[in-house]
Amino acid sequence: MNNQRWLSQSFFTFFFTWGIFLPYWTGWLVHDKNLTVADASMIMAFGLIARAASTMFVFPFMSKYMSNKKIILSLTILSLFATILYIPAKSSVALLIITLLFSLVYPTLLPAIESSASALVQQAKIHYGKSRSYGSIGFVIAVLIISILTGFWGEQAILWSMLVGLVILLTKLCMPTPAILLTKPTVEDRKEKLSMKELWKVKTFPVVLVIVFLLQGAHAAYYNYGYIYLQELQVNSFYIGMIINIAVIFEVLYFLKADSFLANWRPSSLLLLAGGGSTLRWVLIFLFPNVGVFIVSQALHALSFGMAHIAFIRYLNSSLPKEQIANAQGIYSGLALSLSTAILTFAGGYLYEIQPGLSFLGMVLCTIPAIIIILATRRRLNY
């Protein structure tokens, strides 16, 4: 199979399930499993901690002994099994245990697929942004479908849609895979594999990681409470999906042009622009608690998430040896995309109970320090 096509299809099928999980899972726990917002937030936050541990340690370990294809296939099967366990679960304790199990395997698919993408970028010269845009398209389609299904059958449709999405992903993985991703690491490869400890010795890596930790963590309120917040604003379930999709549509437009748009900008410049866009986004939602402004703020997702993500990928592919790609992807997914969101989910849940808008405003406590760090280090470290 064509390498570019395989990666595009893999991003599409995974992010189709991500479009079910990310915007709707907290709302599903609240409405279908009858949890309070605070209890659902606590469960999701502990799940994010489990996700951080798995992506930081389990995935890099697996990458030393298994091919990319086998890692993705194993994680998909385990994710499907964990999702089935949700069906009979009723108590908050059972839901917490299942969420911990689910979070150990399902989100780890993200760094696994991203690591495959980095291997294809470095060795097969494919266009990352073009393929990644298909992931965003899959996300958009999933959100639209869930909006329609929940309008007819309620929040219970979210879990069943997730099961169907994982079956589709599993079917996709049974198709031909690029040869690069079928190779199992040899003993010599493991000896040459640089340790995670060595990665921290790269002078710029800890600084860039702290910045993306803050910028990506600042999406915690949006990911966990955006759906519920729009319900508070009396928006119909079908239109909630359309509004959530606006952010991803702008993300798609950016990813489609990311390989050429601002191609000469350094990662630090992209991160600075992402930090400014993110700060503006959360302040607007707090100052103007209405649907119109929320819709307008969705366009800033291309900066707050999309540009921050592309900046890290560019940094990773241009500044780190290929032996460290899996380690770096695991740390990025574990810390910047999981642990930071977990910490801020705890805080955001309590702020949301006080006033919904406060949970969004609280995110600037991450974006402003990120901007300060970039301005203080970009010239000295030249990243």
Side-chain angles (χ1 to χ4, degrees):
M1 176 179 284
N2 175 276
N3 292 335
Q4 189 84 51
R5 188 182 305 119
W6 181 91
L7 185 59
S8 298
Q9 292 178 359
S10 296
F11 272 132
F12 180 91
T13 50
F14 170 74
F15 277 97
F16 181 88
T17 65
W18 200 244
I20 300 168
F21 172 72
L22 197 61
Y24 293 110
W25 217 247
T26 302
W28 171 71
L29 289 172
V30 170
H31 296 292
D32 194 52
K33 294 298 184 178
N34 299 313
L35 297 179
T36 65
V37 173
D39 286 344
S41 298
M42 181 195 69
I43 288 174
M44 292 299 290
F46 277 115
L48 284 165
I49 293 172
R51 170 185 168 185
S54 178
T55 53
M56 283 181 63
F57 303 111
V58 177
F59 167 65
F61 178 80
M62 292 174 72
S63 69
K64 291 182 180 180
Y65 296 92
M66 301 166 65
S67 67
N68 289 63
K69 166 71 178 289
K70 194 170 183 179
I71 292 172
I72 297 171
L73 184 62
S74 300
L75 291 172
T76 302
I77 293 171
L78 290 171
S79 299
L80 186 58
F81 172 74
T83 306
I84 292 171
L85 294 178
Y86 272 114
I87 297 172
K90 299 294 182 184
S91 69
S92 57
V93 174
L95 289 167
L96 173 60
I97 293 171
I98 295 168
T99 298
L100 290 174
L101 175 61
F102 181 75
S103 300
L104 285 171
V105 290
Y106 170 68
T108 309
L109 281 165
L110 181 55
I113 296 173
E114 288 283 6
S115 182
S116 298
S118 291
L120 291 170
V121 167
Q122 289 192 342
Q123 299 176 51
K125 307 301 180 184
I126 61 99
H127 297 288
Y128 174 84
K130 181 180 178 181
S131 288
R132 181 59 179 79
S133 68
Y134 279 87
S136 300
I137 292 169
F139 189 99
V140 168
I141 293 173
V143 171
L144 282 175
I145 290 174
I146 295 300
S147 298
I148 296 170
L149 294 180
T150 52
F152 282 103
W153 291 292
E155 274 71 18
Q156 63 179 339
I158 294 170
L159 179 65
W160 296 105
S161 298
M162 187 66 172
L163 286 168
V164 172
L166 287 171
V167 169
I168 293 172
L169 178 57
L170 185 59
T171 303
K172 159 67 181 66
L173 292 172
C174 295
M175 297 177 181
T177 303
I180 296 171
L181 307 180
L182 296 173
T183 306
K184 179 182 177 181
T186 63
V187 175
E188 289 72 22
D189 290 333
R190 286 194 287 275
K191 287 180 180 179
E192 293 177 2
K193 201 88 169 178
L194 299 177
S195 69
M196 196 172 290
K197 185 179 179 181
E198 294 297 317
L199 181 58
W200 294 102
K201 294 180 181 179
V202 178
K203 188 177 296 185
T204 54
F205 181 75
V207 176
V208 174
L209 185 65
V210 168
I211 293 167
V212 292
F213 178 94
L214 293 170
L215 292 180
Q216 298 294 16
H219 293 82
Y222 174 69
Y223 290 153
N224 288 283
Y225 311 117
Y227 178 73
I228 300 172
Y229 179 72
L230 288 169
Q231 287 181 321
E232 294 265 356
L233 296 177
Q234 306 299 313
V235 179
N236 181 278
S237 293
F238 175 74
Y239 295 111
I240 288 176
M242 295 179 67
I243 291 170
I244 289 173
N245 265 340
I246 292 171
V248 191
I249 289 169
F250 277 90
E251 178 186 305
V252 170
L253 294 174
Y254 173 68
F255 282 142
L256 282 171
K257 296 295 183 181
D259 293 312
S260 57
F261 181 63
L262 303 180
N264 295 324
W265 281 38
R266 293 185 295 162
S268 60
S269 299
L270 295 177
L271 289 169
L272 189 60
L273 186 54
S278 186
T279 302
L280 177 60
R281 183 182 186 183
W282 313 130
V283 170
L284 281 174
I285 293 174
F286 171 73
L287 291 178
F288 306 99
N290 62 72
V291 178
V293 173
F294 191 94
I295 290 173
V296 171
S297 73
Q298 289 289 78
L300 293 170
H301 193 73
L303 299 180
S304 66
F305 171 79
M307 190 163 284
H309 180 70
I310 289 294
F312 181 80
I313 296 298
R314 282 192 188 177
Y315 168 78
L316 183 151
N317 289 326
S318 63
S319 302
L320 299 180
K322 64 182 179 65
E323 294 83 4
Q324 286 288 17
I325 295 298
N327 288 336
Q329 285 286 5
I331 292 173
Y332 173 63
S333 294
L335 292 181
L337 299 180
S338 304
L339 187 60
S340 63
T341 309
I343 294 170
L344 289 164
T345 295
F346 278 118
Y350 290 106
L351 289 173
Y352 192 92
E353 293 285 351
I354 298 170
Q355 181 190 338
L358 280 177
S359 64
F360 294 97
L361 182 64
M363 299 301 104
V364 304
L365 294 177
C366 288
T367 61
I368 292 175
I371 292 171
I372 293 171
I373 293 171
I374 297 166
L375 293 173
T377 61
R378 64 195 303 251
R379 288 187 179 179
R380 178 167 56 85
L381 297 179
N382 191 31
Y383 59 93

